[in-house]
Amino acid sequence: MARSTTLFGIAGAVAIGSAFTILSSLGKRSLLTVVASGIALLVFASTRHIQLLSRRSPKRNARLQVNASSQAVRRPPMDYNLFVLGSGGHTKEMLMMMDDGSHDFTNFHRRYLISSGDAMSENHLEEYEDGLKTLCKSHKSSPGTYDKRIVTRARKVHQPLWSTPLTALLSILDIFPALLVPPDSEAGKKLRYPSRVFSNGPATGFFVALAIHLLKMFYLAPESSMKVVYIESWARISTLSLTGKLLLHTGIADVFVVQHEEVALRYGVQNAGEIVFNSRRLDDIEPSPVKC
């Protein structure tokens, strides 16, 4: 540990020395240009961030309309949504929340974002989509289309914190194409960007929301697209997850709700109820899709 600390100290000293050498070699005019550009960029980014937050805040605690007795959920004639899947329980919860008993998804595309190495989520997803296809076939309706994108895991379990920034950066670089490249489907041809992006707590969900916020800040994506809907995991019965806390304090989610009253009161957010148990599957074998 001491050796590692010493090496980091030497590397840091070399880096700082190099930076001062570069700065001193720049002409005064060049240095002023760099500083002025940096300040202008900071002002622009801060202004855009505040603009986006001010337009988003009235919607953040919007109540999700969950009606277990309804026979179908109204959807636009053509839609494209993205779902962030997390390892294990997060994925199972998300698929349960997507289940509302509907069985016609004509011109509806689902894109799933899965972290690298998460074979369990891929298996759950394929089982879910197979069950959906069977359900729709029995009703002589369309299951719509779907695809999946694998991105670098933002942070592995027990991964050292010092290495997390690098993997998080790699994850964001993978996330941008997943958001910007439209699916090869009718909905994808009509709708370039997903209309809504759903997450329920995996770490990748925060970086997806951050990537979307950056795209909108720099006018690379329209503000009307990619609305981030964050539904805190049902397992969080008294406190928010780290992902939830980050999204709450940064304000970059368009809708932010929890599933337990204690959490809602503690953080002053909307309690949408136990959405994960509001599904209306025909049985335990045939799941039915997307409620959100």
Side-chain angles (χ1 to χ4, degrees):
M1 178 63 74
R3 181 179 179 183
S4 176
T5 304
T6 303
L7 289 175
F8 274 114
I10 295 173
V14 171
I16 294 172
S18 300
F20 276 110
T21 302
I22 293 172
L23 288 175
S24 62
S25 66
L26 290 172
K28 186 176 181 180
R29 182 175 300 176
S30 299
L31 181 58
L32 288 174
T33 301
V34 171
V35 172
S37 299
I39 293 173
L41 180 60
L42 180 61
V43 171
F44 168 78
S46 300
T47 302
R48 282 292 293 155
H49 175 69
I50 294 171
Q51 284 180 344
L52 291 174
L53 292 193
S54 65
R55 295 168 187 170
R56 181 179 293 133
S57 57
K59 304 175 184 178
R60 279 175 53 77
N61 288 335
R63 181 180 295 276
L64 293 183
Q65 297 300 320
V66 180
N67 186 351
S69 63
S70 63
Q71 293 302 309
V73 175
R74 292 181 180 179
R75 298 185 181 86
M78 185 171 289
D79 206 0
Y80 161 32
N81 289 176
L82 184 146
F83 301 89
V84 181
L85 301 185
S87 56
H90 282 112
T91 291
K92 199 67 176 177
E93 276 190 27
M94 179 62 76
L95 296 177
M96 289 177 69
M97 288 189 288
M98 291 168 64
D99 179 6
D100 69 347
S102 299
H103 52 76
D104 187 2
F105 292 89
T106 304
N107 292 326
F108 184 90
H109 186 86
R110 302 171 295 281
R111 171 165 288 177
Y112 299 98
L113 209 65
I114 303 175
S115 296
S116 56
D118 188 3
M120 183 180 293
S121 287
E122 289 196 71
N123 292 335
H124 284 322
L125 167 60
E126 295 303 329
E127 290 175 0
Y128 174 83
E129 287 291 340
D130 286 344
L132 173 59
K133 188 181 297 183
T134 301
L135 175 66
C136 292
K137 184 178 180 180
S138 67
H139 287 270
K140 298 181 179 179
S141 58
S142 171
T145 55
Y146 80 97
D147 64 8
K148 58 185 177 183
R149 291 300 184 98
I150 309 298
V151 300
T152 301
R153 185 183 292 272
R155 183 173 184 263
K156 298 179 181 178
V157 178
H158 305 309
Q159 179 181 340
L161 289 176
W162 63 265
S163 65
T164 300
L166 176 60
T167 54
L169 176 61
L170 294 175
S171 179
I172 290 178
L173 293 177
D174 286 343
I175 288 168
F176 281 125
L179 295 170
L180 296 175
V181 178
D184 186 18
S185 64
E186 288 299 318
K189 294 174 183 176
K190 183 73 174 179
L191 306 170
R192 180 176 177 183
Y193 308 100
S195 56
R196 289 170 295 277
V197 176
F198 295 92
S199 174
N200 67 332
T204 304
F206 172 73
F207 295 105
V208 171
L210 179 60
I212 292 171
H213 191 66
L214 291 174
L215 289 172
K216 293 180 180 181
M217 277 180 59
F218 292 97
Y219 297 98
L220 298 175
E223 292 182 35
S224 59
S225 67
M226 295 189 285
K227 298 295 185 180
V228 177
V229 179
Y230 182 75
I231 307 168
E232 182 60 275
S233 169
W234 175 84
R236 308 300 302 194
I237 61 175
S238 59
T239 61
L240 291 174
S241 62
L242 177 58
T243 300
K245 290 176 181 176
L246 289 172
L247 288 173
L248 178 65
H249 294 306
T250 58
I252 59 177
D254 293 278
V255 174
F256 188 107
V257 297
V258 298
Q259 300 187 61
H260 295 283
E261 187 66 24
E262 182 179 345
V263 186
L265 293 174
R266 181 170 185 173
Y267 295 96
V269 296
Q270 178 68 54
N271 176 26
E274 298 179 347
I275 307 175
V276 71
F277 295 119
N278 281 330
S279 58
R280 297 185 295 105
R281 289 169 290 181
L282 299 180
D283 52 45
D284 291 334
I285 300 175
E286 295 184 341
S288 51
V290 188
K291 169 169 49 185
C292 300

